Short mmCIF file of all heavy atoms in Angstrom, two decimals:
data_model
loop_
_atom_site.label_atom_id
_atom_site.label_comp_id
_atom_site.label_asym_id
_atom_site.label_seq_id
_atom_site.Cartn_x
_atom_site.Cartn_y
_atom_site.Cartn_z
N ILE A 1 239.07 28.32 -130.73
CA ILE A 1 237.65 28.36 -131.06
C ILE A 1 237.11 29.79 -131.08
O ILE A 1 236.17 30.09 -131.82
CB ILE A 1 236.83 27.48 -130.08
CG1 ILE A 1 235.44 27.18 -130.65
CG2 ILE A 1 236.75 28.10 -128.69
CD1 ILE A 1 235.44 26.37 -131.92
N ASP A 2 237.70 30.69 -130.30
CA ASP A 2 237.18 32.07 -130.20
C ASP A 2 237.36 32.86 -131.49
O ASP A 2 236.59 33.79 -131.77
CB ASP A 2 237.87 32.82 -129.05
CG ASP A 2 237.46 32.28 -127.69
OD1 ASP A 2 236.41 31.61 -127.62
OD2 ASP A 2 238.20 32.50 -126.72
N ASN A 3 238.38 32.55 -132.27
CA ASN A 3 238.54 33.26 -133.55
C ASN A 3 238.84 32.28 -134.68
O ASN A 3 239.69 32.52 -135.54
CB ASN A 3 239.63 34.32 -133.44
CG ASN A 3 240.98 33.74 -133.04
OD1 ASN A 3 241.08 32.56 -132.70
ND2 ASN A 3 242.01 34.57 -133.10
N TYR A 4 238.13 31.16 -134.64
CA TYR A 4 238.36 30.08 -135.59
C TYR A 4 238.15 30.55 -137.03
O TYR A 4 238.98 30.27 -137.91
CB TYR A 4 237.43 28.90 -135.27
CG TYR A 4 237.73 27.63 -136.04
CD1 TYR A 4 238.45 26.60 -135.46
CD2 TYR A 4 237.29 27.45 -137.35
CE1 TYR A 4 238.74 25.43 -136.15
CE2 TYR A 4 237.57 26.30 -138.06
CZ TYR A 4 238.29 25.29 -137.45
OH TYR A 4 238.57 24.13 -138.15
N ALA A 5 237.06 31.27 -137.29
CA ALA A 5 236.73 31.66 -138.66
C ALA A 5 237.82 32.54 -139.27
O ALA A 5 238.26 32.31 -140.40
CB ALA A 5 235.38 32.39 -138.69
N SER A 6 238.28 33.55 -138.53
CA SER A 6 239.29 34.45 -139.08
C SER A 6 240.62 33.75 -139.25
O SER A 6 241.34 33.99 -140.24
CB SER A 6 239.44 35.69 -138.19
OG SER A 6 239.84 35.32 -136.88
N ARG A 7 240.97 32.87 -138.31
CA ARG A 7 242.24 32.16 -138.42
C ARG A 7 242.22 31.16 -139.59
O ARG A 7 243.21 30.99 -140.29
CB ARG A 7 242.54 31.43 -137.10
CG ARG A 7 242.84 32.36 -135.92
CD ARG A 7 244.23 32.95 -136.04
NE ARG A 7 245.26 31.91 -135.93
CZ ARG A 7 245.77 31.48 -134.78
NH1 ARG A 7 245.34 32.00 -133.62
NH2 ARG A 7 246.69 30.55 -134.76
N LEU A 8 241.08 30.48 -139.78
CA LEU A 8 240.98 29.55 -140.90
C LEU A 8 241.03 30.31 -142.22
O LEU A 8 241.70 29.87 -143.17
CB LEU A 8 239.69 28.73 -140.80
CG LEU A 8 239.40 27.77 -141.97
CD1 LEU A 8 240.55 26.81 -142.20
CD2 LEU A 8 238.09 27.01 -141.74
N LEU A 9 240.34 31.45 -142.30
CA LEU A 9 240.36 32.25 -143.54
C LEU A 9 241.79 32.66 -143.87
O LEU A 9 242.23 32.55 -145.04
CB LEU A 9 239.47 33.48 -143.39
CG LEU A 9 239.45 34.44 -144.59
CD1 LEU A 9 238.97 33.71 -145.85
CD2 LEU A 9 238.58 35.65 -144.29
N HIS A 10 242.52 33.13 -142.88
CA HIS A 10 243.90 33.54 -143.11
C HIS A 10 244.74 32.35 -143.59
O HIS A 10 245.58 32.49 -144.51
CB HIS A 10 244.50 34.11 -141.82
CG HIS A 10 245.95 34.46 -141.94
ND1 HIS A 10 246.40 35.57 -142.64
CD2 HIS A 10 247.07 33.81 -141.47
CE1 HIS A 10 247.72 35.60 -142.58
NE2 HIS A 10 248.15 34.56 -141.89
N LYS A 11 244.52 31.18 -143.01
CA LYS A 11 245.28 29.99 -143.39
C LYS A 11 244.96 29.57 -144.82
O LYS A 11 245.85 29.20 -145.59
CB LYS A 11 244.97 28.84 -142.42
CG LYS A 11 245.95 27.70 -142.50
CD LYS A 11 247.31 28.11 -141.94
CE LYS A 11 248.27 26.95 -141.85
NZ LYS A 11 249.59 27.35 -141.33
N LEU A 12 243.67 29.60 -145.16
CA LEU A 12 243.28 29.25 -146.53
C LEU A 12 243.91 30.19 -147.55
O LEU A 12 244.32 29.76 -148.64
CB LEU A 12 241.75 29.28 -146.66
CG LEU A 12 240.97 28.23 -145.86
CD1 LEU A 12 239.47 28.49 -145.97
CD2 LEU A 12 241.30 26.81 -146.34
N GLU A 13 244.00 31.47 -147.21
CA GLU A 13 244.60 32.46 -148.11
C GLU A 13 246.11 32.24 -148.22
O GLU A 13 246.67 32.27 -149.32
CB GLU A 13 244.31 33.87 -147.60
CG GLU A 13 242.84 34.28 -147.68
CD GLU A 13 242.39 34.48 -149.12
OE1 GLU A 13 242.89 35.42 -149.76
OE2 GLU A 13 241.56 33.69 -149.59
N SER A 14 246.75 32.03 -147.08
CA SER A 14 248.22 31.96 -147.07
C SER A 14 248.76 30.64 -147.63
O SER A 14 249.92 30.57 -148.03
CB SER A 14 248.75 32.18 -145.65
OG SER A 14 248.31 31.15 -144.79
N THR A 15 247.92 29.61 -147.64
CA THR A 15 248.38 28.30 -148.13
C THR A 15 247.73 27.92 -149.46
O THR A 15 247.75 26.74 -149.84
CB THR A 15 248.10 27.20 -147.08
OG1 THR A 15 246.68 27.13 -146.83
CG2 THR A 15 248.85 27.47 -145.79
N ALA A 16 247.17 28.90 -150.15
CA ALA A 16 246.47 28.60 -151.40
C ALA A 16 247.40 27.96 -152.43
O ALA A 16 247.02 27.00 -153.12
CB ALA A 16 245.85 29.88 -151.97
N GLU A 17 248.62 28.46 -152.53
CA GLU A 17 249.57 27.90 -153.50
C GLU A 17 249.84 26.43 -153.20
O GLU A 17 249.87 25.59 -154.11
CB GLU A 17 250.87 28.71 -153.49
CG GLU A 17 250.74 30.11 -154.08
CD GLU A 17 250.38 30.07 -155.55
OE1 GLU A 17 250.86 29.17 -156.27
OE2 GLU A 17 249.59 30.93 -155.99
N ALA A 18 250.04 26.13 -151.92
CA ALA A 18 250.30 24.74 -151.53
C ALA A 18 249.08 23.86 -151.81
O ALA A 18 249.20 22.70 -152.21
CB ALA A 18 250.69 24.67 -150.06
N ASP A 19 247.88 24.41 -151.58
CA ASP A 19 246.66 23.65 -151.86
C ASP A 19 246.52 23.36 -153.35
O ASP A 19 246.05 22.28 -153.75
CB ASP A 19 245.43 24.42 -151.36
CG ASP A 19 245.22 24.27 -149.85
OD1 ASP A 19 245.93 23.47 -149.23
OD2 ASP A 19 244.34 24.97 -149.30
N PHE A 20 246.94 24.33 -154.20
CA PHE A 20 246.91 24.07 -155.64
C PHE A 20 247.86 22.92 -156.00
O PHE A 20 247.54 22.08 -156.85
CB PHE A 20 247.31 25.33 -156.41
CG PHE A 20 246.16 26.25 -156.71
CD1 PHE A 20 246.06 27.50 -156.11
CD2 PHE A 20 245.17 25.88 -157.61
CE1 PHE A 20 245.01 28.35 -156.39
CE2 PHE A 20 244.10 26.73 -157.90
CZ PHE A 20 244.02 27.96 -157.27
N GLU A 21 249.01 22.88 -155.35
CA GLU A 21 249.96 21.80 -155.61
C GLU A 21 249.38 20.45 -155.17
O GLU A 21 249.54 19.44 -155.84
CB GLU A 21 251.27 22.07 -154.87
CG GLU A 21 252.05 23.27 -155.39
CD GLU A 21 252.56 23.06 -156.81
OE1 GLU A 21 252.79 21.89 -157.19
OE2 GLU A 21 252.70 24.06 -157.54
N ARG A 22 248.73 20.47 -153.99
CA ARG A 22 248.15 19.23 -153.46
C ARG A 22 246.90 18.81 -154.21
O ARG A 22 246.60 17.62 -154.35
CB ARG A 22 247.80 19.41 -151.97
CG ARG A 22 248.98 19.35 -151.02
CD ARG A 22 248.51 19.42 -149.58
NE ARG A 22 248.08 20.76 -149.24
CZ ARG A 22 248.79 21.62 -148.50
NH1 ARG A 22 249.97 21.25 -148.05
NH2 ARG A 22 248.33 22.81 -148.23
N GLY A 23 246.12 19.80 -154.63
CA GLY A 23 244.86 19.52 -155.29
C GLY A 23 243.70 19.33 -154.32
O GLY A 23 242.62 18.89 -154.72
N PHE A 24 243.89 19.67 -153.06
CA PHE A 24 242.82 19.58 -152.06
C PHE A 24 243.10 20.56 -150.93
O PHE A 24 244.20 21.09 -150.79
CB PHE A 24 242.68 18.15 -151.51
CG PHE A 24 243.88 17.65 -150.75
CD1 PHE A 24 244.03 17.93 -149.39
CD2 PHE A 24 244.86 16.91 -151.40
CE1 PHE A 24 245.14 17.46 -148.70
CE2 PHE A 24 245.97 16.44 -150.70
CZ PHE A 24 246.11 16.72 -149.35
N THR A 25 242.06 20.80 -150.11
CA THR A 25 242.12 21.75 -149.00
C THR A 25 242.67 21.06 -147.77
O THR A 25 242.08 20.09 -147.27
CB THR A 25 240.72 22.32 -148.72
OG1 THR A 25 240.20 22.91 -149.91
CG2 THR A 25 240.76 23.36 -147.61
N ALA A 26 243.78 21.58 -147.25
CA ALA A 26 244.49 20.89 -146.16
C ALA A 26 244.09 21.37 -144.78
O ALA A 26 244.57 20.80 -143.79
CB ALA A 26 246.00 21.06 -146.34
N HIS A 27 243.23 22.37 -144.67
CA HIS A 27 242.87 22.90 -143.35
C HIS A 27 241.36 23.07 -143.23
O HIS A 27 240.67 23.39 -144.20
CB HIS A 27 243.57 24.24 -143.11
CG HIS A 27 245.06 24.12 -143.09
ND1 HIS A 27 245.83 24.25 -144.24
CD2 HIS A 27 245.93 23.87 -142.08
CE1 HIS A 27 247.10 24.10 -143.93
NE2 HIS A 27 247.19 23.86 -142.63
N GLY A 28 240.86 22.83 -142.02
CA GLY A 28 239.43 22.93 -141.74
C GLY A 28 238.96 21.74 -140.93
O GLY A 28 239.72 20.78 -140.68
N PRO A 29 237.72 21.73 -140.51
CA PRO A 29 237.19 20.65 -139.68
C PRO A 29 237.29 19.27 -140.31
O PRO A 29 237.35 18.27 -139.60
CB PRO A 29 235.72 21.05 -139.48
CG PRO A 29 235.69 22.52 -139.67
CD PRO A 29 236.73 22.82 -140.69
N HIS A 30 237.31 19.20 -141.63
CA HIS A 30 237.39 17.91 -142.32
C HIS A 30 238.76 17.25 -142.16
O HIS A 30 238.94 16.09 -142.53
CB HIS A 30 237.09 18.09 -143.82
CG HIS A 30 238.08 18.96 -144.53
ND1 HIS A 30 238.11 20.33 -144.35
CD2 HIS A 30 239.09 18.67 -145.41
CE1 HIS A 30 239.09 20.84 -145.08
NE2 HIS A 30 239.69 19.86 -145.73
N ARG A 31 239.75 17.99 -141.60
CA ARG A 31 241.08 17.44 -141.38
C ARG A 31 241.40 17.27 -139.89
O ARG A 31 242.52 16.89 -139.54
CB ARG A 31 242.13 18.36 -142.01
CG ARG A 31 241.93 18.62 -143.49
CD ARG A 31 242.25 17.43 -144.34
NE ARG A 31 243.67 17.12 -144.34
CZ ARG A 31 244.21 16.11 -144.99
NH1 ARG A 31 243.43 15.29 -145.69
NH2 ARG A 31 245.50 15.88 -144.96
N GLU A 32 240.44 17.53 -139.02
CA GLU A 32 240.68 17.48 -137.58
C GLU A 32 240.32 16.12 -137.00
O GLU A 32 239.62 15.33 -137.63
CB GLU A 32 239.92 18.63 -136.90
CG GLU A 32 240.46 19.98 -137.33
CD GLU A 32 239.63 21.17 -136.90
OE1 GLU A 32 238.46 20.97 -136.52
OE2 GLU A 32 240.13 22.30 -136.96
N ASP A 33 240.79 15.87 -135.80
CA ASP A 33 240.64 14.54 -135.20
C ASP A 33 240.25 14.67 -133.74
O ASP A 33 240.17 15.79 -133.18
CB ASP A 33 241.97 13.78 -135.33
CG ASP A 33 241.82 12.27 -135.14
OD1 ASP A 33 240.69 11.80 -134.90
OD2 ASP A 33 242.84 11.57 -135.23
N PHE A 34 239.99 13.54 -133.11
CA PHE A 34 239.66 13.45 -131.68
C PHE A 34 240.60 12.42 -131.05
O PHE A 34 240.82 11.36 -131.62
CB PHE A 34 238.21 13.02 -131.47
CG PHE A 34 237.20 13.95 -132.09
CD1 PHE A 34 236.89 13.86 -133.44
CD2 PHE A 34 236.55 14.91 -131.32
CE1 PHE A 34 235.96 14.72 -134.02
CE2 PHE A 34 235.62 15.76 -131.89
CZ PHE A 34 235.32 15.67 -133.24
N THR A 35 241.12 12.74 -129.87
CA THR A 35 242.03 11.82 -129.18
C THR A 35 241.50 11.52 -127.79
O THR A 35 241.15 12.44 -127.04
CB THR A 35 243.45 12.42 -129.06
OG1 THR A 35 243.92 12.77 -130.36
CG2 THR A 35 244.40 11.42 -128.42
N PHE A 36 241.44 10.24 -127.46
CA PHE A 36 241.02 9.81 -126.13
C PHE A 36 242.26 9.60 -125.26
O PHE A 36 243.25 9.01 -125.71
CB PHE A 36 240.23 8.50 -126.21
CG PHE A 36 238.89 8.64 -126.86
CD1 PHE A 36 238.76 8.61 -128.25
CD2 PHE A 36 237.74 8.79 -126.10
CE1 PHE A 36 237.53 8.74 -128.85
CE2 PHE A 36 236.50 8.93 -126.70
CZ PHE A 36 236.40 8.90 -128.08
N TYR A 37 242.17 10.09 -124.02
CA TYR A 37 243.28 9.95 -123.08
C TYR A 37 242.82 9.16 -121.87
O TYR A 37 241.74 9.40 -121.31
CB TYR A 37 243.80 11.32 -122.65
CG TYR A 37 244.56 12.04 -123.73
CD1 TYR A 37 243.90 12.91 -124.60
CD2 TYR A 37 245.93 11.86 -123.90
CE1 TYR A 37 244.58 13.57 -125.62
CE2 TYR A 37 246.62 12.52 -124.90
CZ TYR A 37 245.95 13.37 -125.75
OH TYR A 37 246.62 14.02 -126.76
N LEU A 38 243.66 8.22 -121.46
CA LEU A 38 243.44 7.45 -120.24
C LEU A 38 244.66 7.64 -119.35
O LEU A 38 245.78 7.26 -119.74
CB LEU A 38 243.23 5.97 -120.58
CG LEU A 38 243.06 5.01 -119.40
CD1 LEU A 38 241.84 5.38 -118.55
CD2 LEU A 38 242.95 3.58 -119.89
N ASN A 39 244.43 8.26 -118.19
CA ASN A 39 245.54 8.58 -117.27
C ASN A 39 246.66 9.32 -117.98
O ASN A 39 247.85 8.99 -117.85
CB ASN A 39 246.05 7.30 -116.60
CG ASN A 39 245.00 6.67 -115.71
OD1 ASN A 39 244.25 7.38 -115.03
ND2 ASN A 39 244.91 5.35 -115.72
N GLU A 40 246.25 10.33 -118.77
CA GLU A 40 247.14 11.25 -119.48
C GLU A 40 247.91 10.61 -120.64
O GLU A 40 248.80 11.25 -121.22
CB GLU A 40 248.13 11.92 -118.51
CG GLU A 40 247.48 12.63 -117.33
CD GLU A 40 246.49 13.70 -117.76
OE1 GLU A 40 246.66 14.26 -118.86
OE2 GLU A 40 245.54 13.99 -116.99
N GLN A 41 247.59 9.37 -121.00
CA GLN A 41 248.25 8.71 -122.13
C GLN A 41 247.23 8.49 -123.25
O GLN A 41 246.06 8.22 -122.98
CB GLN A 41 248.82 7.35 -121.70
CG GLN A 41 249.87 7.43 -120.61
CD GLN A 41 251.11 8.18 -121.06
OE1 GLN A 41 251.59 7.99 -122.18
NE2 GLN A 41 251.63 9.04 -120.19
N PRO A 42 247.65 8.63 -124.52
CA PRO A 42 246.71 8.40 -125.63
C PRO A 42 246.17 6.97 -125.59
O PRO A 42 246.93 6.01 -125.71
CB PRO A 42 247.58 8.64 -126.88
CG PRO A 42 248.75 9.42 -126.40
CD PRO A 42 249.00 9.00 -124.99
N ALA A 43 244.88 6.83 -125.43
CA ALA A 43 244.28 5.51 -125.26
C ALA A 43 244.46 4.64 -126.49
O ALA A 43 244.62 3.41 -126.38
CB ALA A 43 242.80 5.65 -124.92
N GLY A 44 244.46 5.23 -127.67
CA GLY A 44 244.62 4.45 -128.89
C GLY A 44 245.96 3.74 -128.97
O GLY A 44 246.12 2.75 -129.68
N GLN A 45 246.96 4.25 -128.22
CA GLN A 45 248.31 3.67 -128.26
C GLN A 45 248.62 2.81 -127.04
O GLN A 45 249.41 1.86 -127.13
CB GLN A 45 249.35 4.79 -128.37
CG GLN A 45 249.20 5.66 -129.60
CD GLN A 45 250.14 6.85 -129.58
OE1 GLN A 45 251.15 6.86 -128.88
NE2 GLN A 45 249.79 7.88 -130.34
N THR A 46 248.02 3.15 -125.90
CA THR A 46 248.46 2.51 -124.66
C THR A 46 247.38 1.70 -123.95
O THR A 46 247.71 0.87 -123.11
CB THR A 46 248.98 3.58 -123.67
OG1 THR A 46 247.90 4.48 -123.33
CG2 THR A 46 250.13 4.38 -124.28
#
């Protein structure tokens, strides 16, 4: 989180060719998720 903007910019630049192949942007908040843990185990699974 401390250098999110610069790291995301670098990733967008370095993966531009792959994004052209995919036809969409593969990195950024729109691709992130949230995981709930219960007693250190992923709650969605256990």
Side-chain angles (χ1 to χ4, degrees):
I1 197 64
D2 291 341
N3 59 352
Y4 190 100
S6 60
R7 292 285 295 273
L8 176 56
L9 177 60
H10 176 74
K11 195 69 173 179
L12 294 174
E13 292 290 294
S14 63
T15 60
E17 290 296 324
D19 281 352
F20 273 112
E21 293 295 332
R22 283 185 286 256
F24 64 86
T25 304
H27 297 89
H30 63 286
R31 304 288 291 179
E32 295 170 343
D33 197 359
F34 300 82
T35 304
F36 291 84
Y37 288 91
L38 177 60
N39 295 322
E40 306 302 333
Q41 299 296 318
Q45 301 173 20
T46 62

